[in-house]
């Protein structure tokens, strides 16, 4: 580009020079012809005018026409007077003026006309000097151009290599930096004028890259922390857009797709949480509350904190952090603790009150009657045994929950079920209850034998206690999808649908009167559930009121 510009400029200068030379030469020719015209005018008074004109014509290479009062005094051989005027007025319309000059570049002749009173002198001078000068000028211009071009090429190449190309590289690198590509580098130059620019650009790129890497590291740390926080967490910017929603939030609130740049109004469903966010924005202070929220179909309790993120000078809000800590389990445990204390107190109060009452009656004189004394002592013994069983089962349940004393071994499940039926059979025989055993052989599970037997005896005893006389209890063991299944099906009173979810709670009884009469504490099924959970199994119940119940235990098959 620079070379082309230089060549074009050089040609324009050459054209200007040749045009100037041409103009100067034309002025010089006109001046010479004007002087010669004065000489010819002076010769006009001489008697040998024609002879002098011929000599003058030959010596100065002129074609001459001299007229006076439109009469020709002298005209060069081979020409007519009208040829002079025709040549002079070639580039004009009408007749030429009294004093006129033309130079015909095609014919390379100069025509001059001058008027002295009543006389007119025409001079035609053929000269190629102007053409020669123009040709010579262009030759020198071409020679200079050819001579300068190699020098110019190396100069332009040097400028391009040392200045223009480096500046282009820095410009390109700057664009890449502006677009976020901080890995770009420019090769450092040895040219003093651009070396500092290259070094500064590379330092800037490295600094930006280090800063961006640090930012990415900080962001990754923040995201890792947020994603692994067990509490549901949202990070909202100052425009109300959700920047980060951790995995806990997505799982707890059933969000299948990641949340990206969506407004918190569309993300947060709870009106109470939205109110807390607006309050935190308005007051620029943290807001904390414990709320009950409905998640899907379940009611859950959350300890919610909404914390505004302020700028360094605390002049404006840059974002909001919302943390929803699920305290449902804590609330449940707290309620269970209260229920447990109340139930234990109630269960102990009844027998203790009974023992105290009968003891006081005996002290008041009933001991003197042998029959009354024996009856009261039997009642006191029964209530004492009831307290003893209750305390023993509470201690047993506590040990099972710790689950650190079980010795797990390979157990033949059908055999263990059969042994348990043998234990319960005398109790069933009193009510004429029959057992229908459908036991698939050689099913092994990993369990603690005595605890597994305890589970079976508990479930079989319940089936016997809650079944009418002459009923049938069906006991099955079979393999299904890699799990060993035990089913105990009775024809008892059944369980209402609203009570099936609570029968595994401590001290819960379906039929409270019958349970107490049979000596039950309400802890049997709670113990069963905890033992099965220690065995990594499951227990479930299906029941229809008035028709009976089916208790189903699922344990993983043990193959080795």
């Amino acid at each position: 580009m620079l070379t082309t510009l230089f060549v074009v400029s050089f040609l324009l200068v050459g054209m200007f020079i040749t045009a100037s030379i041409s103009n100067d030469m034309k002025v010089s020719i006109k001046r010479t012809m004007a002087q010669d015209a004065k000489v010819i005018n002076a010769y006009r008074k001489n008697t040998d005018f024609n002879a002098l004109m011929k000599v003058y014509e030959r010596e100065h290479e002129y074609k001459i026409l001299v007229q006076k009062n439109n009469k020709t005094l002298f005209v060069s051989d081979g020409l007519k007077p009208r040829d002079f005027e025709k040549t002079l007025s070639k580039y004009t319309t009408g007749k030429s003026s009294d004093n006129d000059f033309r130079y015909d570049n095609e014919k390379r002749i100069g025509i001059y006309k001058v008027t002295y009173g009543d006389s007119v002198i025409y001079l035609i001078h053929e000269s190629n000097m102007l053409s020669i000068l123009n040709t010579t000028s262009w030759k020198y211009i071409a020679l200079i151009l050819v001579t300068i071009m190699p020098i110019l090429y190396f100069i332009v190449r040097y400028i391009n290599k040392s200045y223009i190309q480096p500046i282009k590289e820095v410009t390109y690198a700057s664009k890449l930096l502006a677009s976020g590509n901080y890995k770009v580098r420019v090769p450092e130059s040895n040219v003093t004028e651009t070396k500092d620019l290259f070094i500064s650009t590379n330092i800037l790129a490295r600094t930006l890259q280090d800063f961006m890497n640090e930012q990415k590291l900080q962001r990754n740390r923040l995201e890792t922390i947020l994603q692994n926080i067990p509490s549901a967490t949202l990070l909202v910017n100052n425009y109300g857009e959700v920047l980060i929603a951790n995995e806990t939030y997505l799982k707890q609130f059933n969000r299948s797709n990641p949340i990206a740049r969506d407004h918190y109004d569309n993300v947060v469903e709870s009106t109470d949480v939205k109110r807390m966010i607006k309050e935190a924005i308005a007051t620029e202070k943290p807001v904390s509350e414990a709320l009950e929220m409905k998640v899907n179909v379940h009611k859950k309790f959350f300890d919610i904190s909404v914390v505004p993120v302020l700028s360094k000078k605390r002049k404006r809000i840059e974002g909001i952090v919302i943390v929803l800590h699920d305290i449902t389990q804590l609330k449940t445990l707290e309620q269970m603790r209260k229920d447990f204390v109340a139930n234990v107190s109630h269960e102990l109060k009844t027998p203790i009150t009974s023992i105290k009452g009968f003891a006081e009656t005996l002290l008041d004189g009933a001991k003197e009657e042998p029959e009354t004394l024996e009856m009261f002592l039997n009642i006191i013994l029964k209530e004492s045994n009831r307290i003893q069983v209750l305390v023993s089962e509470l201690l047993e349940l506590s040990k099972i929950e710790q689950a650190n004393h079980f010795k797990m071994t390979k157990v033949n499940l059908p055999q263990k079920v059969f042994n348990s039926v043998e234990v319960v059979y005398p109790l069933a025989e009193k009510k004429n209850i029959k057992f229908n055993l459908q036991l698939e052989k050689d099913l092994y599970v990993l369990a603690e034998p005595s605890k597994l037997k305890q589970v079976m005896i508990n479930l079989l005893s319940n089936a016997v206690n809650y079944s009418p006389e002459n009923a049938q209890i069906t006991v099955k063991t079979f393999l299904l999808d890699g799990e060993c299944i035990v089913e105990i099906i009775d024809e008892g009173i059944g369980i209402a649908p609203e009570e099936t979810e609570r029968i595994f709670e401590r001290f819960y009884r379906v039929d409270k009167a019958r349970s107490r009469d049979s000596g039950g504490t309400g802890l049997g099924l709670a113990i069963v559930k905890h033992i099965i959970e220690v065995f990594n199994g499951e227990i479930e119940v299906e029941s229809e009121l008035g028709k009976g119940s089916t208790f189903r235990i699922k344990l993983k098959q043990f193959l080795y």
Side-chain angles (χ1 to χ4, degrees):
M1 181 66 184
L2 188 61
T3 305
T4 305
L5 184 62
F6 179 82
V7 171
V8 171
S9 301
F10 200 82
L11 292 175
L12 290 174
V13 170
M15 292 173 66
F16 176 76
I17 291 172
T18 54
S20 299
I21 292 174
S22 297
N23 290 333
D24 292 342
M25 281 297 298
K26 290 176 181 179
V27 170
S28 176
I29 292 171
K30 181 179 179 181
R31 188 182 299 115
T32 302
M33 295 180 75
Q35 291 176 355
D36 291 337
K38 290 180 180 179
V39 173
I40 292 172
N41 185 51
Y43 285 163
R44 187 169 53 83
K45 299 176 181 179
N46 198 303
T47 54
D48 295 329
F49 177 70
N50 287 336
L52 289 172
M53 287 300 98
K54 287 186 178 292
V55 173
Y56 201 88
E57 178 187 35
R58 186 173 58 254
E59 290 179 354
H60 293 84
E61 298 180 351
Y62 275 125
K63 301 293 184 182
I64 303 172
L65 170 62
V66 181
Q67 290 181 329
K68 184 177 181 181
N69 296 325
N70 292 327
K71 291 183 179 181
T72 302
L73 299 180
F74 178 80
V75 62
S76 296
D77 296 337
L79 293 175
K80 297 179 180 179
R82 66 173 179 274
D83 294 335
F84 287 87
E85 182 62 31
K86 183 179 179 181
T87 302
L88 187 61
S89 60
K90 178 180 179 181
Y91 300 101
T92 60
T93 58
K95 195 175 180 181
S96 63
S97 59
D98 292 341
N99 295 284
D100 206 352
F101 175 77
R102 293 285 186 276
Y103 185 84
D104 191 340
N105 290 317
E106 295 179 3
K107 296 182 178 181
R108 299 176 183 177
I109 56 175
I111 309 101
Y112 182 70
K113 173 185 176 183
V114 63
T115 303
Y116 296 102
D118 54 357
S119 301
V120 179
I121 299 174
Y122 289 88
L123 295 178
I124 296 177
H125 179 66
E126 184 176 355
S127 175
N128 59 355
M129 182 60 67
L130 185 58
S131 177
I132 293 171
L133 282 174
N134 286 337
T135 304
T136 305
S137 298
W138 279 111
K139 286 181 180 179
Y140 281 109
I141 290 171
L143 180 62
I144 293 170
L145 187 60
V146 171
T147 305
I148 291 177
M149 277 298 293
I151 301 172
L152 178 64
Y153 171 76
F154 287 107
I155 292 173
V156 170
R157 185 179 179 186
Y158 175 77
I159 293 173
N160 184 65
K161 184 178 180 181
S162 302
Y163 297 97
I164 297 176
Q165 191 63 32
I167 291 172
K168 286 183 178 179
E169 291 178 359
V170 172
T171 303
Y172 179 68
S174 300
K175 290 180 179 178
L176 291 178
L177 289 174
S179 65
N181 184 3
Y182 302 114
K183 295 181 180 180
V184 66
R185 297 291 184 273
V186 290
E188 296 185 0
S189 173
N190 294 324
V191 181
T192 306
E193 289 78 2
T194 57
K195 186 175 182 179
D196 291 340
L197 177 62
F198 279 58
I199 294 173
S200 299
T201 303
N202 288 334
I203 292 174
L204 176 62
R206 280 190 288 269
T207 303
L208 289 174
Q209 186 177 13
D210 293 341
F211 178 76
M212 184 54 61
N213 289 338
E214 183 66 23
Q215 289 289 97
K216 286 182 179 179
L217 181 61
Q218 294 292 341
R219 181 177 178 84
N220 289 337
R221 286 174 179 171
L222 177 61
E223 287 186 354
T224 302
I225 292 171
L226 289 175
Q227 293 296 347
N228 290 280
I229 287 177
S231 301
T233 306
L234 290 177
L235 183 61
V236 181
N237 64 12
N238 55 343
Y239 297 106
E241 298 172 339
V242 177
L243 298 179
I244 297 175
N246 67 350
E247 289 294 327
T248 307
Y249 184 90
L250 298 177
K251 289 178 181 178
Q252 283 190 348
F253 294 94
N254 198 25
R255 293 276 182 172
S256 57
N257 298 322
I259 301 166
R261 295 286 178 180
D262 203 356
H263 198 274
Y264 74 84
D265 274 333
N266 301 324
V267 176
V268 179
E269 296 179 357
S270 172
T271 54
D272 290 324
V273 177
K274 292 178 182 178
R275 171 184 55 78
M276 292 175 64
I277 294 173
K278 292 175 182 177
E279 183 179 343
I281 293 173
T283 60
E284 297 185 356
K285 292 181 180 179
V287 178
S288 298
E289 288 185 23
L291 298 175
E292 180 182 347
M293 296 171 58
K294 189 174 182 180
V295 180
N296 297 329
V297 295
H298 304 287
K299 286 185 179 180
K300 291 191 175 185
F301 294 90
F302 289 92
D303 188 5
I304 304 172
S305 296
V306 180
V307 182
V309 180
L310 302 177
S311 60
K312 288 184 178 180
K313 296 183 179 180
R314 304 183 69 84
K315 289 184 177 181
R316 59 187 179 88
I317 293 179
E318 293 186 346
I320 295 285
V321 178
I322 303 128
V323 180
L324 299 93
H325 183 59
D326 190 353
I327 57 173
T328 305
Q329 190 174 4
L330 294 176
K331 286 282 187 180
T332 305
L333 291 174
E334 178 65 19
Q335 188 61 41
M336 287 176 64
R337 184 189 66 80
K338 292 178 181 178
D339 293 343
F340 177 75
V341 172
N343 287 327
V344 168
S345 301
H346 178 73
E347 293 294 331
L348 290 174
K349 181 181 178 181
T350 301
I352 289 173
T353 302
S354 180
I355 291 171
K356 181 181 178 183
F358 285 112
E360 289 175 348
T361 303
L362 289 174
L363 290 173
D364 288 340
K367 63 182 179 180
E368 302 299 334
E369 300 177 8
E371 294 181 0
T372 304
L373 175 62
E374 184 179 358
M375 183 181 68
F376 282 8
L377 288 175
N378 285 331
I379 293 173
I380 290 172
L381 178 61
K382 181 181 177 182
E383 295 298 334
S384 299
N385 290 335
R386 183 177 171 185
I387 293 173
Q388 184 181 10
V389 171
L390 177 62
V391 173
S392 297
E393 290 192 352
L394 285 173
L395 291 174
E396 179 70 15
L397 185 59
S398 177
K399 288 180 181 179
I400 293 170
E401 286 177 342
Q402 293 176 9
N404 56 4
H405 65 289
F406 282 11
K407 293 181 180 179
M408 311 289 277
T409 59
K410 182 179 179 181
V411 179
N412 188 325
L413 183 61
Q415 184 64 45
K416 188 62 65 176
V417 171
F418 182 79
N419 293 341
S420 301
V421 171
E422 287 181 331
V423 173
V424 180
Y425 184 76
L427 181 64
E429 195 173 21
K430 292 179 181 180
K431 300 176 69 174
N432 197 26
I433 294 175
K434 306 297 182 183
F435 284 98
N436 177 18
L437 302 182
Q438 302 176 20
L439 307 180
E440 186 177 325
K441 296 182 179 180
D442 299 327
L443 298 180
Y444 294 93
V445 296
L446 188 64
E448 209 275 346
S450 62
K451 298 299 178 185
L452 182 59
K453 187 175 182 180
Q454 181 181 351
V455 168
M456 298 304 169
I457 291 173
N458 190 295
L459 294 176
L460 289 169
S461 299
N462 285 347
V464 171
N465 288 332
Y466 290 97
S467 293
E469 293 183 359
N470 303 315
Q472 177 177 283
I473 297 174
T474 303
V475 182
K476 299 179 181 179
T477 60
F478 55 92
L479 184 67
L480 180 64
D481 297 331
E483 290 183 324
C484 296
I485 311 296
V486 178
E487 287 186 351
I488 299 174
I489 307 169
D490 63 48
E491 298 174 351
I493 61 175
I495 306 169
E498 63 271 11
E499 293 184 307
T500 54
E501 295 181 359
R502 301 193 60 192
I503 61 173
F504 295 104
E505 294 179 8
R506 302 174 189 185
F507 300 109
Y508 188 80
R509 297 180 177 92
V510 176
D511 188 339
K512 296 178 174 58
R514 180 178 295 190
S515 179
R516 283 197 177 93
D517 292 341
S518 64
T521 62
L523 293 174
L525 289 179
I527 293 174
V528 167
K529 180 187 177 185
H530 280 81
I531 292 175
I532 295 300
E533 286 178 350
V534 172
F535 294 164
N536 295 320
E538 296 178 11
I539 183 169
E540 56 188 37
V541 60
E542 295 177 2
S543 184
E544 188 175 350
L545 201 61
K547 292 188 177 181
S549 304
T550 300
F551 283 84
R552 186 178 296 107
I553 296 174
K554 298 179 180 179
L555 296 171
K556 291 183 179 179
Q557 184 182 19
F558 187 73
L559 300 175
Y560 303 100

